[in-house]
Amino acid sequence: ARGREHITKAHALKDRVSEPERLYIQARYYQTVEGVLQKTIETYQVWIQTYPKDFVPRSNLASLYAARREFDKAIEEYRTAISLSPDEPLPYANLAGLYQTVNRPDEARRLLEEAIARGLDSAGFRTGLYELAHKRNDDAEMARQVEAARRFPEGPARILATQITIAL
């Protein structure tokens, strides 16, 4: 409720911000307050047409497509977001998760390894690789990912949470 209240207030003031911010507020308003995904998608499409080098609307649009189970469109948008901003970790994480959803674990693993090779290493990427290794019954790789996750402050807790989830 507070989120909708804040988005409604931002929407009322949207003419006082830059164009990309206005489009972001508009999209969030349609999604959160009105609950109209098609208007949200159309707003992101306008943002993409207006600012074709901005990865944010592509990544947000991809998540909407994924929610609508339009996985091919989501994958295409995430790939474009990554190409526009290859040092931004969020599209990698989201696309890797989507690859797991659509049963493409090898692509998920390659993508996470690519992100790590770019210097975008994180506990989240390590837990993703741990989960993928578990699905392959690769105990040695699971142990490597546990060790790698320890380098991050939240790493041990995230790996433990993943291990608990898997055990359940």
Side-chain angles (χ1 to χ4, degrees):
R2 290 190 78 205
R4 284 193 304 277
E5 178 184 319
H6 291 295
I7 291 169
T8 300
K9 183 176 180 179
H11 187 259
L13 301 171
K14 71 183 180 307
D15 294 330
R16 298 181 182 186
V17 298
S18 70
E19 182 69 5
E21 290 170 318
R22 186 188 66 73
L23 290 165
Y24 180 81
I25 291 167
Q26 189 72 43
R28 289 296 183 195
Y29 178 81
Y30 287 143
Q31 183 175 2
T32 305
V33 177
E34 292 188 5
V36 182
L37 286 184
Q38 190 55 43
K39 281 183 167 181
T40 308
I41 288 170
E42 289 167 5
T43 302
Y44 284 132
Q45 289 170 335
V46 167
W47 188 351
I48 289 166
Q49 290 170 355
T50 308
Y51 300 95
K53 294 183 180 181
D54 193 342
F55 86 95
V56 173
R58 298 238 180 224
S59 189
N60 291 351
L61 182 58
S63 69
L64 291 175
Y65 284 146
R68 289 171 45 151
R69 306 189 62 76
E70 296 179 47
F71 299 127
D72 290 340
K73 286 182 179 180
I75 289 168
E76 180 182 333
E77 291 298 339
Y78 279 134
R79 284 182 177 162
T80 302
I82 290 168
S83 72
L84 291 171
S85 191
D87 294 325
E88 180 61 44
L90 188 60
Y92 288 95
N94 290 342
L95 180 54
L98 182 56
Y99 279 146
Q100 289 189 57
T101 297
V102 298
N103 197 28
R104 291 163 65 176
D106 292 339
E107 289 176 80
R109 187 174 79 213
R110 278 193 297 274
L111 186 67
L112 292 173
E113 290 170 350
E114 175 187 331
I116 290 167
R118 288 192 68 78
L120 302 176
D121 203 356
S122 70
F125 289 165
R126 295 303 178 161
T127 57
L129 288 170
Y130 179 92
E131 290 172 18
L132 291 163
H134 175 265
K135 290 178 182 176
R136 293 189 316 275
N137 296 314
D138 187 340
D139 293 336
E141 181 63 15
M142 290 166 62
R144 278 192 291 278
Q145 295 310 324
V146 168
E147 197 57 39
R150 288 189 178 143
R151 294 193 310 258
F152 303 95
E154 73 281 13
R158 296 227 18 207
I159 284 287
L160 180 60
T162 299
Q163 290 169 323
I164 291 168
T165 300
I166 288 170
L168 296 175

